[in-house]
Each structure stands twice: as C-alpha cells, then as structure tokens.
C-alpha cells in the first residue's frame, strides 16, 4: 500500500514536471526545450535567427545608423535653413529697396507735376486775360491722382492734368519716374485710360534713383526752374499752334 502511494506521488510530480503530450520525455524523464517559457522564447529566437547576441548586434548597428542618419539630417536641415534664410533676406532687401525707390519717385514726381501745372496755369490765365473767351481759350483741369492698392497699401500710381482749347488738349501725365507732356485731339481723350498713349511727347522729365535719392532731367538737361519753364512754354505754344492750324481750315465761329 505504501509503495503504491509513493508511486502515485512520484507520477504526480512527473506529470507536473514533464508535459503529457510528449510521451518520450514523460517516459524517460528527458527535459525538452518546451518545458520552460524562457527556453521556448530562446528557441523561437534561434529558429528565426534572432539569438540574443545577434539581436544585440543588430541593435547596435541600428543605433549607429540612427546616429549617422540624425547627424546627416541635422546637417541637411541646417544647410537648407541657411539657404532659405539667405533667400528670404535677399527677397526682403529687394522689396525694401523697391519700396524706397517707389516712394522717392512718387514724392519727386508729385512735386514736379504740381510745379509744371502751376507754371502752365499761370501762363494760361495770362493768355485768357488778353484773348478773352475765344476759340483759343484755354481751360485747365486740376491734377487727378490715380491710386492702386497692393497688399492693403494704397499707393499713387499716376497723376494727370489737362489744358484744353476747343480742339486740342495739352496733357500732363506723370507715372513713377517719367513725366510727359502731350498735345492730342480732344476726341482722342474720350475713354482713354492712359492719356497721350500713341502720341510722341513734346516734353519729358525722367528720374533715376541712386544712393537713396532721385535725380531728374528735363528734356535731357538737368532739372531746374528755367528748364521747367522752357518746357512748359514750348508745350503751351504747341497747343495754341495746333489749334490755330486746325481752325484756319474752317470758317470762324460766332461767340
């Protein structure tokens, strides 16, 4: 009875130690690789080529690759950032230069247009006083400012004024660094967005921008009061002459 009890206890111990699904191991008390969880994991690692030392080596290779990649990425990002910043700085410098240049041109152009208009107005008033209300009467139109809005900023695009007889108009047109005087038929101004387009100017002032300042010439001479007066006198004479030539081809009108 005692021997049987001892045998049963021994069998219970063996069943807890050796799996029943492996008869050979159970019968001959051979411990296989599947008797422990750790050994099972190691077996699978060996089968798949991932032994501990191999896995550790792979981790080191991967870590070195990551360090190299990170260093190359940092160098690439740094170089790309420097190039982008240099490009943006150059763009900002160009925009700033263009804004300063445009501001200087606009300020000078406005002043010169007003000066030319005042000279022509003074001459036309004296002429009208002598001739009275006749076919050569000169009517003045105040300077008109044309503006445009870019990126929320309003800027002066152009200025124009007119001195007109019954048949012709003396157009004063200023745009950025160019101020022109034209004598055109009155009919040619109807619906024309750019006065004087298609006609040769009879007088011009042209500006250049250097070292933050504008320099202007008047009919290829340095800009001065005398040069402006000479240009205005010639332009007004051309207006009256063109009107007289056209009127001479028709019968006089009664006023």
């Amino acid at each position: 009875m005692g021997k049987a009890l001892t045998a049963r206890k021994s069998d219970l111990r063996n069943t807890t130690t050796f799996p029943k699904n492996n008869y050979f191991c159970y019968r001959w008390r051979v411990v296989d690789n599947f008797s422990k969880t750790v050994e099972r994991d190691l077996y699978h690692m060996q089968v798949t080529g991932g032994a501990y030392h191999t896995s550790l080596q792979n981790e080191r290779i991967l870590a070195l690759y990551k360090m190299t990649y990170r260093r190359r990425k940092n160098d690439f990002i740094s170089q790309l950032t420097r190039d982008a910043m240099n490009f943006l700085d150059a763009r900002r410098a160009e925009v700033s230069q263009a804004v300063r240049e445009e501001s200087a041109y606009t300020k000078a152009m406005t002043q010169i247009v007003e000066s030319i208009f005042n000279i022509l107005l003074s001459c036309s008033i004296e002429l009208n006083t002598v001739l009275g209300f006749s076919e050569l009467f000169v009517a003045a139109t105040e300077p008109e400012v044309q503006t445009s809005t870019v990126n929320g900023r309003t800027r002066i695009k152009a200025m124009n004024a007119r001195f007109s007889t019954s048949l012709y108009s003396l157009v004063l047109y200023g745009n950025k660094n160019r101020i022109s005087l034209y004598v055109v038929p009155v009919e040619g101004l109807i619906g024309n967005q750019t006065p004087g387009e298609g006609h040769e100017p009879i007088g011009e002032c042209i500006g250049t921008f250097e070292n933050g300042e504008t320099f202007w010439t008047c009919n290829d001479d340095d800009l001065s009061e005398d040069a402006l007066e000479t240009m205005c006198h010639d332009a007004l004479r051309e207006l009256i002459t063109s009107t007289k030539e056209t009127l001479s081809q028709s019968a006089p009108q009664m006023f």
Side-chain angles (χ1 to χ4, degrees):
M1 184 68 179
K3 290 182 180 180
L5 183 60
T6 302
R8 288 178 180 177
K9 291 181 178 180
S10 177
D11 292 340
L12 290 174
R13 287 196 301 270
N14 290 336
T15 57
T16 57
T17 304
F18 302 99
K20 287 185 176 182
N21 57 354
N22 193 329
Y23 177 79
F24 178 82
C25 294
Y26 175 74
R27 178 71 179 79
W28 300 103
R29 306 298 189 264
V30 177
V31 180
D32 65 349
N33 286 333
F34 300 97
S35 61
K36 296 181 180 179
T37 303
V38 176
E39 292 178 352
R40 185 184 299 113
D41 294 339
L42 290 176
Y43 172 79
H44 284 296
M45 290 177 63
Q46 291 175 358
V47 169
T48 58
Y52 177 73
H53 67 281
T54 304
S55 178
L56 181 60
Q57 185 178 7
N58 292 339
E59 288 293 335
R60 289 177 179 176
I61 294 174
L62 183 60
L64 292 175
Y65 169 76
K66 288 181 178 179
M67 291 177 61
T68 304
Y69 169 74
R70 188 178 297 111
R71 184 169 58 252
R72 291 179 179 176
K73 184 184 73 173
N74 292 338
D75 294 340
F76 166 74
I77 294 298
S78 298
Q79 183 62 40
L80 187 62
T81 302
R82 284 195 299 270
D83 293 342
M85 290 299 297
N86 292 335
F87 172 78
L88 293 177
D89 290 341
R91 293 280 291 179
R92 294 189 188 99
E94 291 178 2
V95 172
S96 178
Q97 174 72 9
V99 170
R100 289 197 303 269
E101 181 176 335
E102 182 180 353
S103 177
Y105 277 141
T106 301
K107 182 179 179 180
M109 182 267 291
T110 303
Q111 294 175 349
I112 297 173
V113 167
E114 291 177 351
S115 297
I116 295 174
F117 177 81
N118 290 333
I119 295 173
L120 290 172
L121 181 62
S122 176
C123 294
S124 64
I125 290 175
E126 291 187 17
L127 183 64
N128 290 335
T129 301
V130 175
L131 300 179
F133 190 70
S134 63
E135 293 175 301
L136 297 178
F137 183 86
V138 179
T141 303
E142 293 284 340
E144 178 183 356
V145 178
Q146 300 177 7
T147 61
S148 62
T149 302
V150 180
N151 297 327
R153 186 174 65 91
T154 302
R155 64 184 184 89
I156 296 177
K157 181 180 179 181
M159 290 183 66
N160 67 84
R162 293 195 306 274
F163 292 85
S164 302
T165 63
S166 58
L167 298 176
Y168 286 88
S169 288
L170 172 59
V171 177
L172 170 61
Y173 184 76
N175 180 16
K176 194 177 179 180
N177 66 326
R178 186 179 295 271
I179 302 170
S180 303
L181 288 169
Y182 304 90
V183 173
V184 298
V186 174
E187 297 83 359
L189 296 177
I190 300 176
N192 196 341
Q193 298 295 328
T194 305
E197 186 177 10
H199 297 269
E200 288 293 329
I202 59 175
E204 273 192 328
C205 295
I206 299 176
T208 56
F209 185 79
E210 296 179 5
N211 300 324
E213 297 182 358
T214 56
F215 300 90
W216 290 78
T217 60
C218 181
N219 287 344
D220 298 328
D221 293 329
D222 293 337
L223 181 65
S224 63
E225 293 183 3
D226 293 339
L228 281 181
E229 288 184 358
T230 301
M231 183 180 69
C232 291
H233 295 168
D234 293 340
L236 190 58
R237 182 182 296 109
E238 182 67 22
L239 172 65
I240 299 301
T241 301
S242 298
T243 304
K244 289 191 302 182
E245 290 177 352
T246 304
L247 288 174
S248 64
Q249 300 174 8
S250 60
Q253 298 181 1
M254 300 297 295
F255 289 91

